[in-house]
Amino acid sequence: MDSITVIPGDGIGPEVIECALEVLDVLDTGLFVDVLDHVDADRYRREGQAMNEADLSRIRASSAVLLGAIGRPDVEETDYVRGVLLRLRHTFDLYANYRPVRLLHDRLSPLRNPASRTLDCVIVRENTEGLYSGIGGNLRVSSPQEVAIDADVNTWHGVSRILDFAFSTARREVCLVDKANAVRAGGRLWQECWQDTASRHPGTATRHLYIDAAAMKLVTEPERFDVIVASNSYGDILSDLAAALAGGIGLAPSASLNPGTGFGLFEPVHGSAPDIAGKGIANPFACLLTTALLLRHLGHDAEAAAIDAAVAESIAAGRVTPDLGGSLSTRQVTRAVLASL
């Protein structure tokens, strides 16, 4: 029997995770759920760390992690978030960030004439290298002569495996996004790996765009995209842009995966949203769609499809929270989804 570790976290995290757990209970998947409700900002403030080795041992015993949100305004130390999110990514080598984006209803899109176009693509983002690798530092701090350096780290191993994963998820095309014309060293490595990987997948169409052109075309021609693959920072930017085109981050699921081991960290994109935490109006859809991703990853395809359909039905009927133009609370939206199930 598969088991999952659930980390509710901070802010609206516990609120949306509660909804996800109710849905899992109704679907009766047989999954064992281990809830680590102590991995949060309160524990970090008390003990100096939010997640210890005992917690990691419990996580290792599971097949996946479902995370609500990490982060709180009164805990400004970056060590807190890095000690949870980045520790999980690096401990389990979750190098592939998978962000599916689909417009569930025309009225959600900020684009003109959304009925005449489709948006159904995936952003595949390298998740362990690039500008977020943490390599760099400051010289002559807090002086007019201060120098700040952040290294953009790219390896043949890291780039090749994310490109391979992107091709494995494609239905018709993979589009590489980089800035090889300006960022020459890393750009050359990505281009060499791209040519090598594409040659091993002759049945999949390919396209290459620079990051500025890709951002523009996502807005003007969203229907053209199937799978976009990019570095850590470029993928981060494009995935949020794509989410906005599909209705906002309240609808954005994500997964950080190790395709080799099968382990994954699944989390809604919206973060802890401290400005609405505790008000009962958090949008649970991103967490529910993330739960569907997790279930599909573990082989529960029918249950995942049921969640996707129930969310789409609720949106079509206008049973939504204020961020999507509705007036329902988190609990009311969850009841609407449960009714559909």
Side-chain angles (χ1 to χ4, degrees):
M1 179 177 65
D2 282 322
S3 66
I4 61 172
T5 302
V6 175
I7 302 176
D10 305 306
I12 65 171
E15 300 173 44
V16 297
I17 284 292
E18 182 182 357
C19 304
L21 293 179
E22 286 189 49
V23 167
L24 283 175
D25 186 55
V26 167
L27 290 174
D28 194 21
T29 60
L31 291 171
F32 175 76
V33 177
D34 182 19
V35 181
L36 300 184
D37 54 8
H38 56 273
V39 176
D40 58 15
D42 287 331
R43 187 191 197 186
Y44 178 82
R45 290 176 68 105
R46 290 194 312 269
E47 303 178 17
Q49 65 174 350
M51 187 169 61
N52 59 28
E53 285 300 323
D55 300 321
L56 284 174
S57 294
R58 289 169 65 176
I59 293 170
R60 286 190 184 95
S62 67
S63 302
V65 175
L66 178 61
L67 172 68
I70 290 293
R72 211 168 65 185
D74 61 334
V75 182
E76 297 180 354
E77 299 92 332
T78 57
D79 286 347
Y80 168 46
V81 175
R82 294 177 68 89
V84 179
L85 292 180
L86 293 190
R87 189 175 185 185
L88 287 171
R89 287 179 192 171
H90 290 290
T91 297
F92 296 96
D93 197 18
L94 305 176
Y95 65 85
N97 186 249
Y98 180 84
R99 288 275 297 268
V101 183
R102 184 161 65 97
L103 180 60
L104 296 176
H105 197 282
D106 293 346
R107 65 179 170 78
L108 299 177
S109 178
L111 298 175
R112 289 178 295 181
N113 304 318
S116 65
R117 63 214 319 184
T118 58
L119 174 57
D120 186 4
C121 68
V122 173
I123 314 292
V124 172
R125 164 189 168 193
E126 201 292 316
N127 212 28
T128 57
E129 297 185 348
L131 276 173
Y132 301 168
S133 60
I135 296 176
N138 297 71
L139 178 67
R140 305 186 188 98
V141 176
S142 299
S143 77
Q145 291 78 38
E146 182 169 357
V147 177
I149 296 175
D150 292 290
D152 185 6
V153 178
N154 302 277
T155 67
W156 184 280
H157 171 68
V159 174
S160 294
R161 66 180 183 174
I162 196 63
L163 293 175
D164 274 325
F165 176 73
F167 275 93
S168 75
T169 65
R171 294 164 295 186
R172 61 180 189 274
E173 180 194 77
V174 177
C175 178
L176 170 66
V177 173
D178 65 10
K179 194 62 177 171
N181 58 334
V183 185
R184 291 181 295 175
R188 183 189 61 79
L189 177 59
W190 274 83
Q191 285 294 318
E192 288 186 0
C193 292
W194 171 245
Q195 296 300 325
D196 177 66
T197 307
S199 70
R200 291 185 275 105
H201 298 84
T204 303
T206 59
R207 185 161 50 129
H208 170 247
L209 292 171
Y210 295 131
I211 178 64
D212 44 353
M216 178 184 68
K217 288 183 179 296
L218 255 179
V219 175
T220 59
E221 303 175 355
E223 66 277 1
R224 290 264 337 255
F225 292 95
D226 178 24
V227 173
I228 297 170
V229 61
S231 66
N232 211 331
S233 55
Y234 296 156
D236 192 7
I237 295 165
L238 290 178
S239 54
D240 279 1
L241 171 59
L245 298 178
I249 57 174
L251 294 169
S254 81
S256 294
L257 307 169
N258 183 315
T261 65
F263 193 84
L265 167 65
F266 297 79
E267 58 177 316
V269 175
H270 51 57
S272 59
D275 55 323
I276 61 169
K279 295 182 179 180
I281 58 172
N283 184 347
F285 287 152
C287 192
L288 295 179
L289 293 172
T290 297
T291 303
L293 271 186
L294 184 154
L295 290 175
R296 191 169 284 110
H297 180 71
L298 295 180
H300 299 274
D301 293 346
E303 291 85 351
I307 294 176
D308 288 341
V311 169
E313 181 180 332
S314 293
I315 290 173
R319 296 190 289 266
V320 296
T321 45
D323 61 303
L324 296 182
S327 59
L328 299 189
S329 68
T330 308
R331 297 298 313 147
Q332 289 170 324
V333 169
T334 304
R335 284 197 291 270
V337 171
L338 291 171
S340 296
L341 291 173

